[in-house]
Amino acid sequence: MGLTKEEFTQAVLEHSRAMFRAARAVLEQDADAEDAVSEAVLLAWQKRGQLRDLAAVRPWLVKITVNCARRLRQKNGRMLYFDDLEQVSGGQADRRYHVLWDAVLTLSPESRTVVVLFYYEDLTVEQIGKALKLPLGTVKSRLSRARERLRAMLGEEVEER
């Protein structure tokens, strides 16, 4: 079974932004995130026969991308390049979005990853746990701590909503 060539191509095109955001949540440089996405596409292509449910293609691609990004981060070490942090929203998002995204980028890699996967990629806690190979309690506690940290950083801007 698995994905046909056309289905695979369509899935990658449709979910490439999600894959990039997921990789960028783990890695600090856009170029590294792009490398992780490229590696993930190749790996997904090689394993496309293992995917049984076409509806699960998005979490499957994101999981592969996160794993590739984590391997790349381990290989490269944990260097943080604040000069290269950019907006990855693409488009004319308002100032509030950019302030929030900047705050998310300052979180630890572990917290940033779960926040991006949960809020930006709409993965469930269960899907995040599987993708990151973490217990559900760990995912929930990282989300909770990240929310607290974001509230503290953003102060009144969070209260306005």
Side-chain angles (χ1 to χ4, degrees), residues 16 19-40 65 68-69 72 76 88:
S16 61
M19 294 169 71
F20 178 79
R21 279 192 302 262
R24 187 61 172 76
V26 175
L27 299 162
E28 283 78 22
Q29 289 189 333
D30 287 352
D32 289 341
E34 290 167 1
D35 289 346
V37 170
S38 296
E39 183 181 330
T65 303
C68 289
L72 186 60
N76 292 344
V88 294

Side-chain angles (χ1 to χ4, degrees), residues 123-143:
L123 295 184
T124 66
V125 172
E126 292 80 12
Q127 290 170 328
I128 295 169
K130 285 181 184 175
L132 301 178
K133 297 177 182 143
L134 294 172
L136 294 182
T138 302
V139 174
K140 289 177 183 179
S141 65
R142 285 184 184 178
L143 276 172

